[in-house]
Amino acid sequence: MLLMKSWHEHYIALFFLVALTLIIFGNTLFNQFTYDDIRVIVTNRFIASMRNFPRIFTKTYFRETPERSYRPVVTATYFLDHAIWRKQPLGYHLTNVLIHVMTVYLLFYLLMHFIRSREACFFAALLFAVHPIVCEAVNSVSNREDLLAGFFVIASFLTIFQKWRLPVRLFFIFLFTSLALFSKESALPLILILPLLRFTPQGERNGHSRHIPALIWLSQSAAAGFYLIIRFLIMVPENPMSTKVLGGSSMSAAAHSCYLFMLAWRYMLIPFPLNADYVFWHIRGVITPQRVAGFAFLAIYVIMVYILFKRGRYGSFFALMWVFIFFLPVSNLIPLTNPFAERYLYLPLMGLAILAGVVYEYFQTQLSSRIPTMFWKTNRIIGLLLIIFCAYLSVQRNLVWSTDRTLWSATLRREPSSIRALNGVALYYIWQDQYDKAEPLLKKARIIEPDDYEIRNNLAMVYVKTNRLREAEIELRKALVLKPDYATAHFNLALLLNSFGEREEAESHLHLAKRFGYPVPEDFEW
């Protein structure tokens, strides 16, 4: 590790930080579109023309994009990518990697306001850069919002420490906070982090850290208020998203938020084996062993945070609070369709990076006068081995994300009952015209979850391709019973009914498909 006693070494460290991040994630550039990328990029006609760009800011956003929440910053980046790269996955993956690199770059500078040792800052930023838990966010183009939110959150906090004139600082704090929120709503807790800056180790050196001007907090709060007004009063989806919640009810999902927090720490500290879909079929009801374990973990966590605060270990206190606060939006206190995902941990992982830097600095400085030099310098060896281990896991994880087949096949090996994985592998076979391989997978998924309307729609498509049209009709009608506003099923049923000569009902379903947002071509003809 570099000691970095001079600014010359500081810039060398930055060069290595950026270069190593690019090297570790360089193999993602050869990956294909995976996960939801086909729906969000390849078949998304909305981003295909820059003439549609102004409509990002209109109420037609939810009808014309596959987004389920208002995230115009993310959609804007898809427009720019499509204008340059069309449908070549390399360019989209390059954008993801560059956003991650820029986030790592800014995180290094932010860490310098919390940690005195630049070497410790370098270690912490590099740990975040190559940690396997970020692989999902970096590899999945359709989940770019986590990367963007992370970048703008760090930019917002860095602006606080700048020596610019106050009006300029307030403007950029408002701007970066707004961009973070309109990238993903999970950035909202940043207004809770700001008051904690007074407890950073460099509070005395950064004069405004002990007495944070109220105007700075008001600037972030104004951005949050602006976002909430736009999101919940103006840009409201016409058809609210249906959510299958953890444990079968909103109360059960909220009750298990502590368990999911414990799970988050487990994967941040021991990042293997990772998975693209975490299944919680075993959780049913409010009172479960998982809930008890989660509450016990949270109790220990609170006690630890309190002890650190009372003992003046403000760096560690701040880091643990960062992880907790940024996990709140994805804790399922408000139920999520996908209860747990690795990309949710992109922002909380920054807190772990801060903690790693604080611990590294402690071994580097505080223990140097108490124990033999060779002993405390082993922290460099341990740190190096940890970085190498994480980098190896990340490179291997990137390979898993190469194609939909490799991704979902790996997921099925870990979670044989994963509906998303069964559907993902089946869709891969459908695109390859291997319907005989897709059908048993979709039927297995239907047995596991008979109320999954997407599975029934995809199974209907297999039936159509294998000329079993009446069976296809049954599946499509069942899908529409489960989700009456399912635009894709309405369109597919319209085509099917038209082939039967039932034009009047076909026209009705075509109208409903348009109404619910299906991108029916303007020149569409039967």
Side-chain angles (χ1 to χ4, degrees):
M1 294 283 181
L2 298 174
L3 192 56
M4 288 179 284
K5 294 181 178 179
S6 69
W7 282 103
H8 175 69
E9 292 174 336
H10 166 86
Y11 286 115
I12 292 177
L14 271 178
F15 169 79
F16 276 106
L17 190 62
V18 171
L20 289 172
T21 307
L22 288 171
I23 290 171
I24 298 304
F25 289 97
N27 61 343
T28 68
L29 302 182
F30 304 101
N31 291 355
Q32 300 302 307
F33 287 122
T34 56
Y35 209 80
D36 290 333
D37 296 353
I38 299 296
R39 177 174 58 88
V40 173
I41 305 297
V42 179
T43 62
N44 185 1
R45 295 189 181 94
F46 184 65
I47 65 172
S49 173
M50 289 299 290
R51 288 179 297 180
N52 295 331
F53 189 87
R55 282 148 62 185
I56 291 177
F57 310 103
T58 67
K59 289 187 176 182
T60 63
Y61 177 84
F62 295 104
R63 291 202 305 267
E64 298 184 287
T65 72
E67 295 292 344
R68 299 178 179 180
S69 186
Y70 188 53
R71 297 168 180 170
V73 175
V74 184
T75 307
T77 66
Y78 294 150
F79 269 99
L80 295 176
D81 271 343
H82 193 280
I84 299 171
W85 305 101
R86 298 303 173 186
K87 295 180 181 180
Q88 296 298 320
L90 183 148
Y92 294 83
H93 287 300
L94 178 62
T95 300
N96 273 25
V97 172
L98 292 178
I99 295 171
H100 181 55
V101 168
M102 291 188 295
T103 303
V104 171
Y105 181 87
L106 293 184
L107 180 63
F108 176 76
Y109 280 104
L110 182 65
L111 287 165
M112 290 176 63
H113 292 280
F114 304 145
I115 302 169
R116 292 179 177 88
S117 166
R118 292 181 195 164
E119 181 179 322
C121 292
F122 175 78
F123 167 73
L126 187 56
L127 178 63
F128 172 80
V130 303
H131 198 287
I133 213 73
V134 307
C135 290
E136 180 170 297
V138 176
N139 279 275
S140 178
V141 175
S142 53
N143 291 307
R144 181 180 290 173
E145 55 266 20
D146 294 279
L147 297 175
L148 289 167
F151 173 77
F152 288 119
V153 162
I154 299 299
S156 177
F157 280 119
L158 268 180
T159 306
I160 295 171
F161 296 105
Q162 302 308 307
K163 302 300 183 182
W164 306 335
R165 294 172 55 193
L166 185 59
V168 176
R169 270 199 296 164
L170 293 178
F171 169 77
F172 279 103
I173 288 170
F174 179 88
L175 175 64
F176 290 139
T177 302
S178 298
L179 290 171
L181 291 168
F182 284 109
S183 295
K184 192 175 184 180
E185 54 280 357
S186 59
L188 191 60
L190 61 84
I191 63 174
L192 302 177
I193 293 288
L194 184 60
L196 297 177
L197 289 180
R198 59 177 298 199
F199 299 114
T200 58
Q202 300 285 30
E204 293 294 342
R205 190 186 73 179
N206 302 310
H208 47 271
S209 292
R210 289 291 180 185
H211 305 285
I212 298 173
L215 286 176
I216 292 179
W217 186 79
L218 287 175
S219 180
Q220 281 192 339
S221 299
F226 173 66
Y227 165 77
L228 292 173
I229 290 172
I230 297 295
R231 174 65 182 84
F232 293 102
L233 295 180
I234 299 176
M235 300 298 292
V236 181
E238 296 177 0
N239 306 299
M241 179 177 61
S242 58
T243 303
K244 296 176 183 177
V245 299
L246 175 65
S249 69
S250 298
M251 184 178 295
S252 175
H256 288 88
S257 58
C258 298
Y259 169 68
L260 295 177
F261 185 54
M262 180 178 72
L263 207 61
W265 270 101
R266 175 261 186 264
Y267 282 107
M268 288 193 296
L269 295 176
I270 309 174
F272 63 89
L274 299 178
N275 206 21
D277 187 36
Y278 292 85
V279 177
F280 298 96
W281 302 110
H282 55 289
I283 295 179
R284 286 290 183 270
V286 176
I287 307 299
T288 66
Q290 290 82 8
R291 182 191 179 189
V292 174
F295 270 106
F297 176 81
L298 184 63
I300 295 171
Y301 195 86
V302 170
I303 293 171
M304 187 183 304
V305 169
Y306 176 76
I307 292 173
L308 290 171
F309 178 77
K310 294 297 290 185
R311 292 187 176 180
R313 303 291 185 184
Y314 295 130
S316 299
F317 164 78
F318 178 81
L320 293 181
M321 287 300 296
W322 178 293
V323 175
F324 176 76
I325 288 173
F326 274 112
F327 184 77
L328 284 175
V330 294
S331 65
N332 279 256
L333 289 173
I334 300 175
L336 303 174
T337 301
N338 203 9
F340 185 82
E342 293 155 20
R343 61 184 180 276
Y344 295 168
L345 305 183
Y346 193 77
L347 275 166
L349 185 66
M350 295 176 184
L352 179 63
I354 296 171
L355 181 63
V358 169
V359 172
Y360 189 95
E361 181 185 42
Y362 176 76
F363 278 95
Q364 181 190 26
T365 59
Q366 300 298 318
L367 294 185
S368 60
S369 59
R370 306 179 195 174
I371 56 181
T373 302
M374 287 301 296
F375 181 79
W376 71 261
K377 282 190 175 182
T378 56
N379 75 309
R380 293 183 178 181
I381 299 174
I382 295 172
L384 180 62
L385 292 175
L386 180 60
I387 294 298
I388 292 173
F389 179 64
C390 285
Y392 170 78
L393 290 178
S394 291
V395 170
Q396 295 302 309
R397 189 64 185 159
N398 294 338
L399 295 175
V400 171
W401 281 82
S402 297
T403 66
D404 259 340
R405 184 178 183 181
T406 57
L407 175 65
W408 296 123
S409 296
T411 304
L412 273 181
R413 285 194 293 271
R414 269 211 74 206
E415 299 283 4
S417 59
S418 167
I419 299 296
R420 187 185 293 269
L422 289 166
N423 190 49
V425 177
L427 285 175
Y428 173 82
Y429 285 133
I430 289 173
W431 297 327
Q432 300 297 319
D433 296 329
Q434 299 179 27
Y435 306 113
D436 58 322
K437 294 182 178 180
E439 184 176 341
L441 294 171
L442 291 170
K443 285 183 174 179
K444 180 180 178 181
R446 187 180 60 179
I447 292 171
I448 296 172
E449 184 52 73
D451 292 339
D452 192 301
Y453 50 86
E454 290 186 0
I455 293 296
R456 291 187 175 274
N457 176 76
N458 294 337
L459 184 56
M461 294 303 96
V462 171
Y463 288 152
V464 169
K465 294 294 185 180
T466 53
N467 204 31
R468 288 175 283 173
L469 302 185
R470 288 301 177 185
E471 291 180 72
E473 180 185 2
I474 292 172
E475 293 298 334
L476 288 172
R477 291 191 185 279
K478 180 61 177 178
L480 290 174
V481 169
L482 295 169
K483 185 175 173 58
D485 60 351
Y486 189 15
T488 303
H490 277 295
F491 183 73
N492 290 335
L493 185 56
L495 295 178
L496 190 60
L497 291 172
N498 181 68
S499 70
F500 294 155
E502 301 174 19
R503 177 62 67 87
E504 184 176 347
E505 189 179 0
E507 291 283 0
S508 174
H509 283 286
L510 181 63
H511 172 74
L512 289 171
K514 292 178 180 178
R515 176 186 169 188
F516 295 133
Y518 190 85
V520 180
E522 295 180 2
D523 58 349
F524 174 80
E525 294 181 0
W526 293 109

